[in-house]
Amino acid sequence: MPLNNYIGFFRILFTLVLAMCLRIAPLEGDWALLNPDWVLLALIYWALNLPDRVGIFHAWIFGLLTDVLLGRLLGQYALAYALIIYICLKLHKRLRQFPFLQQGLFIFFCLLLSQLLLFFIKNLQHPAQLQASFWLPVITGTLAWPLVYGLLSFVSLFRRIK
Amino acid sequence: MRTTLSILVDPLKYLVSLPTSLVEQATDSATSYSALKAENEHLREDQLIHQARLLKFAALEKENIRLRALLENSFKLGEQVLVAELLSVNMAPYEHILVVNKGTRFGVHPQQPVLDANGVVGQVFRALPFTSEIMLITDPNHAIPVQVNRNGLLTIAVGSGQLNRLILPFLPSNADIKPGDLLITSGLGGTFPQGYPVAVVDEFTAQPNKAFATITATPKALLDRNRELMIVWSKSVPVPLISKPTGSEEGMPDATK
């Protein structure tokens, strides 16, 4: 069992690192505005499916790393991710029973809440400089959810992580 | 804290920009012999022209030194540059921040000016061990003290959030400025060394009912097409110029390295 545990751990770590790479992917011009928050999507997936493996602490750590990665104020993503993952952990039993569309709606609100928190923090620093395109990743993130879900369930089922 | 964590995270930036640099290297090595030869010839011609210009520049600089010595205004600041390459990563699409592959390991520190071959690009915003973040002059949070090259009019150019646009919000409607004027750094504020081209004024609209005119300018630097940038060290200790009045070779301040 410990070996399997380690493999599972590295697999989760690998997907999160991949998500961080996607987060800073060099997209041309306006496409960059659409780049969704892959790290949060991956964290939500793992929190819903393996709630005993991925918790608030992991979310906080990866939030902090994302802050450094994106050069943000240290702790803003940590806060947002920890909060979202807390909600996901609280609701994961119910959410797993939901139909896919309803789950998508939940993901939408999760992403919206995270973006809202980031918006408040950003506004405290430099008021009123964000354009409407700031909110686009929420929509693209929701659209990307089936993709993330499919990919990560393939990863977790490939050799079942317990 | 950020420095320590960046050691964990910075390899990802290199990893992400790897495909782009690989493609670039591949196209470089796949360039045909004739194309290379043509480019080489072109560069050699350029080099010749620049060298000739530099000769003239050296003479002018000597003259300038002599004149300054006469005025007893006896120092000039020397500068040193480091070439840094852009990492193709995208950190915050709504901010104009670039990542380059030189960090505190190379002695880079925050607030250093960054230039390219055409003009001022921006300043170092945050220096991490392996990478540093550069805020462009067009970032909405950036302002750069400038001077109109034609008449020395001082003002401040503020970033607009668009890559090809700077705004000069603090000039009255009767200011002596017109489209086509070159804006250079004024050296006020101490961050940017004096005399580098920043932008060209492209629009001047007097607003009779308001205190200030709306003036926009286009940056000289190719902000979105550059891969190599120069990080500049301005020597804060003045280099005395009139130590050798005869003007031998050492009398020249080492402008670049």
Side-chain angles (χ1 to χ4, degrees), chain B residues 45-233:
Chain B
E45 268 171 31
D46 266 10
Q47 158 92 346
L48 201 68
I49 293 166
H50 287 149
Q51 207 121 45
R53 240 183 237 167
L54 262 185
L55 285 176
K56 187 104 182 195
F57 178 72
L60 280 176
E61 187 153 321
K62 285 249 161 116
E63 187 183 343
N64 196 356
I65 291 167
R66 274 201 302 279
L67 290 173
R68 271 176 192 266
L70 284 177
L71 290 170
E72 294 186 31
N73 184 0
S74 63
F75 61 84
K76 181 185 185 299
L77 301 181
E79 280 139 26
Q80 217 181 11
V81 300
L82 171 76
V83 174
E85 204 168 311
L86 205 67
L87 291 177
S88 34
V89 298
N90 210 327
M91 297 212 310
Y94 42 87
E95 283 175 6
H96 293 183
I97 289 177
L98 301 178
V99 185
V100 294
N101 67 351
K102 297 276 159 57
T104 49
R105 285 290 166 105
F106 286 86
V108 177
H109 58 83
Q111 294 193 343
Q112 268 184 296
V114 180
L115 312 173
D116 76 351
N118 300 300
V120 177
V121 171
Q123 58 176 301
V124 177
F125 170 61
R126 183 180 288 142
L128 299 169
F130 300 105
T131 58
S132 44
E133 294 162 21
I134 289 168
M135 185 182 267
L136 298 181
I137 50 174
T138 51
D139 189 285
N141 293 321
H142 193 270
I144 176 171
V146 294
Q147 180 173 26
V148 178
N149 196 27
R150 182 165 52 86
N151 55 14
L153 181 67
L154 293 166
T155 185
I156 289 172
V158 180
S160 66
Q162 289 165 285
L163 265 180
N164 55 358
R165 179 81 22 121
L166 287 173
I167 302 169
L168 280 69
F170 306 118
L171 281 177
S173 292
N174 61 355
D176 181 13
I177 189 166
K178 58 191 180 194
D181 275 347
L182 178 68
L183 301 172
I184 60 173
T185 50
S186 66
L188 297 179
T191 303
F192 293 94
Q194 196 250 331
Y196 284 105
V198 178
V200 177
V201 177
D202 57 15
E203 209 184 316
F204 175 92
T205 321
Q207 287 183 307
N209 53 345
K210 289 198 180 135
F212 298 112
T214 43
I215 306 168
T216 58
T218 313
K220 287 285 277 182
L222 304 171
L223 295 178
D224 48 348
R225 271 164 289 166
N226 256 314
R227 285 200 61 83
E228 266 112 32
L229 304 170
M230 290 184 289
I231 302 177
V232 180
W233 276 262

Side-chain angles (χ1 to χ4, degrees), chain A residues 17 20-29 32-33 60 64-74 77 122 126 129-131 134, chain B residues 1-2 5-10 12-13 15-17 20 88-95 97 125-126 128 133 139-141 160-161:
Chain A
V17 168
M20 285 173 88
C21 285
L22 279 176
R23 194 67 219 277
I24 54 167
L27 298 171
E28 283 296 318
L33 296 170
W60 189 79
L64 212 57
L65 289 177
T66 309
D67 279 325
V68 176
L69 187 72
L70 302 180
R72 307 288 86 193
L73 184 71
L74 218 53
Y77 275 100
K122 182 86 188 151
H126 320 281
Q129 270 177 357
L130 290 175
Q131 287 122 20
F134 177 76
Chain B
M1 177 78 171
R2 190 186 287 273
L5 287 176
S6 79
I7 293 170
L8 284 176
V9 165
D10 276 354
L12 291 184
K13 294 182 187 167
L15 189 73
V16 165
S17 76
T20 325
S88 34
V89 298
N90 210 327
M91 297 212 310
Y94 42 87
E95 283 175 6
I97 289 177
F125 170 61
R126 183 180 288 142
L128 299 169
E133 294 162 21
D139 189 285
N141 293 321
S160 66

Side-chain angles (χ1 to χ4, degrees), chain B residues 18-63:
Chain B
L18 194 67
T20 325
S21 49
L22 276 183
V23 165
E24 219 155 74
Q25 270 180 21
T27 45
D28 262 8
S29 55
T31 322
S32 72
Y33 172 73
S34 58
L36 271 181
K37 200 166 174 219
E39 195 190 346
N40 196 354
E41 212 143 278
H42 181 73
L43 287 176
R44 205 169 293 187
E45 268 171 31
D46 266 10
Q47 158 92 346
L48 201 68
I49 293 166
H50 287 149
Q51 207 121 45
R53 240 183 237 167
L54 262 185
L55 285 176
K56 187 104 182 195
F57 178 72
L60 280 176
E61 187 153 321
K62 285 249 161 116
E63 187 183 343

Side-chain angles (χ1 to χ4, degrees), chain A residues 88-126:
Chain A
C88 289
L89 288 176
K90 273 282 167 198
L91 298 177
H92 77 272
K93 278 182 188 150
R94 231 178 302 168
L95 276 164
R96 277 196 280 190
Q97 311 306 322
F98 279 176
F100 206 75
L101 212 62
Q102 215 166 336
Q103 221 177 53
L105 201 66
F106 174 76
I107 299 300
F108 176 78
F109 282 113
C110 277
L111 293 175
L112 191 65
L113 182 59
S114 141
Q115 203 76 338
L116 206 64
L117 270 174
L118 299 178
F119 175 75
F120 280 137
I121 295 166
K122 182 86 188 151
N123 244 15
L124 288 177
Q125 289 176 286
H126 320 281

Side-chain angles (χ1 to χ4, degrees), chain A residues 18-87:
Chain A
L18 197 70
M20 285 173 88
C21 285
L22 279 176
R23 194 67 219 277
I24 54 167
L27 298 171
E28 283 296 318
D30 288 345
W31 288 101
L33 296 170
L34 299 176
N35 200 9
D37 196 344
W38 298 103
V39 186
L40 183 57
L41 286 175
L43 279 170
I44 290 175
Y45 176 86
W46 290 121
L48 290 184
N49 287 283
L50 296 170
D52 47 343
R53 297 295 299 271
V54 175
I56 298 168
F57 179 69
H58 300 85
W60 189 79
I61 290 285
F62 272 89
L64 212 57
L65 289 177
T66 309
D67 279 325
V68 176
L69 187 72
L70 302 180
R72 307 288 86 193
L73 184 71
L74 218 53
Q76 66 175 59
Y77 275 100
L79 174 68
Y81 287 2
L83 187 74
I84 300 296
I85 295 308
Y86 172 74
I87 296 169

